[in-house]
Amino acid sequence: MTTRVSSVTAIRDDSPREAAHASEQGGMVNTIGIVTGVLPGGIYSVQTERRQLLRCARAASCLLRPAVGDTVLVTGPDATRLYLTAVAEQADASASRIDVAGDMTLASERGAVTVESSTHIAMRGEQGLSLDAPQLRINAEDADCRVDRLQYQGQEAVTTVLSIRVIGRVYEAVMDRLVHLSKTAFRMTEDVEHLRAGRIDYEAAETARLHGKNTVVTAKEIVKVDAKQIHMG
């Protein structure tokens, strides 16, 4: 009885290696190995535990890109049709890449999709990047936006900030109505300032002063000066 049990145990211990070895020689292949190289056409060379070098393509279900030194699973109906189905252990787990050959969509039919990172998240598109949503929320302590050309179309924009600084060469604004309210306003023009309007109305609560090296006041019809005192000269 004891001899029979030990013989069965020995068969169970050796059966996985024997089955893997038999499958590598011919028929169904199901083994584990180390990636030794990446060949043209997306073919990977994998060395098994028995020092056999296999050539296999990455399966569509294996989204994690294998790297040299990774421990991978290889399976297939025979030695001519082998697929790298999964990466069991990475040689360098500090960097991973998930990629596919064509378009890829990450979707949730009923729930939300969240992308988190302990350091930072980078999004890059060689042709473009599109965001389409009913609502867009951005919350950041510091933002740096560099755009060569910006075109914005909307119905309303409300901005609340402590200070605004605009530096540029040309500033143009076309408005049907412009309202400016401030406690103190200071404007300095180095060269020439032109104002063209249908009607101009200036009113000062205390003092209104107009000064220049040469001052000219002209009118086509009437020039009126009205005050309690008028000093000239």
Side-chain angles (χ1 to χ4, degrees):
M1 181 65 69
T2 305
T3 304
R4 186 177 179 180
V5 173
S6 62
S7 61
V8 173
T9 304
I11 293 175
R12 290 179 178 176
D13 291 341
D14 295 340
S15 58
R17 288 183 176 272
E18 294 297 332
H21 178 63
S23 63
E24 292 173 12
Q25 297 297 330
M28 182 67 182
V29 177
N30 188 15
T31 185
I32 189 170
I34 305 297
V35 178
T36 58
V38 183
L39 305 178
I43 303 300
Y44 293 85
S45 61
V46 179
Q47 189 176 46
T48 65
E49 294 179 349
R50 294 186 175 275
R51 302 298 180 183
Q52 284 190 331
L53 195 61
L54 304 179
R55 299 287 188 271
C56 56
R58 181 159 60 114
S61 59
C62 183
L63 300 180
L64 182 63
R65 176 186 287 185
V68 176
D70 290 352
T71 302
V72 296
L73 302 179
V74 178
T75 185
D78 51 61
T80 60
R81 291 180 296 172
L82 296 178
Y83 297 95
L84 194 159
T85 58
V87 177
E89 183 178 354
Q90 292 181 280
D92 182 11
S94 62
S96 302
R97 182 184 176 96
I98 297 177
D99 61 0
V100 295
D103 297 338
M104 182 176 67
T105 301
L106 181 62
S108 175
E109 294 183 356
R110 296 189 181 95
V113 177
T114 302
V115 179
E116 295 183 0
S117 174
S118 59
T119 56
H120 70 277
I121 297 176
M123 301 180 64
R124 180 179 62 184
E126 294 184 358
Q127 296 183 357
L129 177 63
S130 300
L131 297 176
D132 187 4
Q135 294 182 356
L136 177 62
R137 293 184 178 91
I138 300 176
N139 186 9
E141 294 182 359
D142 189 8
D144 185 5
C145 181
R146 299 180 183 181
V147 181
D148 289 340
R149 289 177 298 274
L150 176 63
Q151 182 178 0
Y152 172 80
Q153 294 181 355
Q155 296 188 8
E156 184 178 1
V158 178
T159 304
T160 303
V161 295
L162 295 178
S163 62
I164 296 178
R165 178 178 296 179
V166 179
I167 300 175
R169 292 185 178 180
V170 179
Y171 177 79
E172 296 181 0
V174 180
M175 302 289 180
D176 290 338
R177 181 183 180 188
L178 178 62
V179 178
H180 176 81
L181 301 176
S182 62
K183 290 184 177 181
T184 302
F186 176 78
R187 184 174 64 187
M188 183 177 63
T189 303
E190 185 176 350
D191 195 359
V192 179
E193 180 173 316
H194 294 275
L195 175 62
R196 299 292 185 269
R199 296 180 181 85
I200 298 177
D201 184 3
Y202 286 115
E203 182 178 352
E206 296 295 335
T207 303
R209 179 175 180 269
L210 178 63
H211 175 74
K213 183 179 180 180
N214 297 305
T215 302
V216 179
V217 179
T218 60
K220 289 184 178 180
E221 295 182 0
I222 299 174
V223 174
K224 181 179 180 181
V225 179
D226 185 9
K228 292 183 178 181
Q229 295 183 9
I230 298 177
H231 300 268
M232 301 184 66

